Amino acid sequence: GAVVSQHPSWVICKSGTSVKIECRSLDFQATTMFWYRQFPKQSLMLMATSNEGSKATYEQGVEKDKFLINHASLTLSTLTVTSAHPEDSSFYICSATRRQGAGEKLFFGSGTQLSVL
Amino acid sequence: LAKTTQPISMDSYEGQEVNITCSHNNIATNDYITWYQQFPSQGPRFIIQGYKTKVTNEVASLFIPADRKSSTLSLPRVSLSDTAVYYCLVGESNYQLIWGAGTKLIIKP
């Protein structure tokens, strides 16, 4: 099946630093990728929709200047958490859409656990 | 956008069949019903998707009544490794999915 690779799996950083998370579709081209945040024992919250070659669409309440998304190619989207603070500590997940037959299927990365000290 | 309601948690035993029901009273005509499984500290994994009646694949079955206001995910002969959170989502496309709280399924030996 389709594989979406997310890197790194976990990262610990100091408050005020920036962290970049990569999401790659390994065996298919993904025109659209999604970024989510998930706090412990809570559900996934969509942060933004990333479209190749254009600006990302952010959900209400998500600061676009803090969570920078770049989708420079059909197989790579990155999320940069700028000037991270402890409240940004969370599990970040990406997903990518792949056409299958008449429809689309969503494939998820393995997630990135961010801990900001 | 249709919202879903699922039991917060369920438990069962190895070898049993587990049925998780999801309510989606406001499902729209073009909406599909999709179920995902998520293990701790991992991304969700697609289980099954359907529009109406019954769909079966190698891991699960999905039962959808005629009015489509609910759906039931059926896991045959569960094992300990099926312990996870199961999400029911409804939407026309991937762009419209709202993630509810999910059902935490605990399988006991």
Side-chain angles (χ1 to χ4, degrees):
Chain A
V3 178
V4 173
S5 173
Q6 191 172 337
H7 179 82
S9 298
W10 57 271
V11 58
I12 302 172
C13 69
K14 292 182 179 180
S15 185
T17 61
S18 294
V19 174
K20 180 184 283 189
I21 303 170
E22 291 187 350
C23 182
R24 293 179 184 273
S25 55
L26 296 184
D27 56 354
F28 66 100
Q29 293 181 331
T31 53
T32 304
M33 290 185 175
F34 304 89
W35 288 95
Y36 308 81
R37 182 166 51 183
Q38 185 175 32
F39 292 108
K41 298 186 179 181
Q42 293 189 24
S43 188
L44 280 73
M45 291 193 319
L46 179 64
M47 298 175 67
T49 301
S50 169
N51 297 299
E52 187 267 336
S54 63
K55 291 183 179 180
T57 303
Y58 290 81
E59 295 299 303
Q60 191 172 8
V62 178
E63 300 175 59
K64 61 180 181 180
D65 294 331
K66 181 168 185 63
F67 299 99
L68 300 179
I69 292 172
N70 184 283
H71 195 155
S73 77
L74 286 171
T75 59
L76 174 64
S77 176
T78 60
L79 168 68
T80 300
V81 183
T82 61
S83 186
H85 291 285
E87 57 266 28
D88 298 323
S89 298
S90 186
F91 190 58
Y92 292 86
I93 308 170
C94 71
S95 68
T97 297
R98 179 185 189 182
R99 287 208 171 275
Q100 285 201 194
E104 294 180 325
K105 195 176 271 191
L106 203 56
F107 296 92
F108 287 84
S110 54
T112 298
Q113 182 64 52
L114 170 64
S115 296
V116 185
L117 304 178
Chain B
L1 300 177
K3 293 187 178 180
T4 60
T5 303
Q6 304 173 234
I8 294 175
S9 65
M10 293 178 65
D11 55 21
S12 186
Y13 292 90
E14 282 190 292
Q16 299 294 308
E17 177 185 80
V18 172
N19 296 310
I20 306 174
T21 297
C22 177
S23 297
H24 27 81
N25 292 316
N26 296 321
I27 189 169
T29 303
N30 295 330
D31 287 344
Y32 281 79
I33 300 159
T34 311
W35 286 78
Y36 288 87
Q37 175 192 57
Q38 186 181 27
F39 297 113
S41 299
Q42 292 189 28
R45 185 174 72 109
F46 173 88
I47 301 175
I48 198 165
Q49 183 181 69
Y51 183 81
K52 62 180 179 180
T53 63
K54 176 184 175 181
V55 179
T56 298
N57 62 21
E58 61 275 9
V59 297
S61 294
L62 179 60
F63 298 92
I64 306 169
D67 65 5
R68 302 202 326 124
K69 293 183 183 298
S70 67
S71 59
T72 299
L73 173 71
S74 181
L75 305 173
R77 298 185 60 79
V78 292
S79 63
L80 295 176
S81 62
D82 291 316
T83 294
V85 178
Y86 292 82
Y87 294 96
C88 161
L89 294 101
V90 170
E92 182 176 348
S93 72
N94 297 318
Y95 303 85
Q96 300 178 323
L97 298 181
I98 297 177
W99 292 75
T103 297
K104 184 175 183 179
L105 175 64
I106 298 173
I107 304 301
K108 303 175 182 178

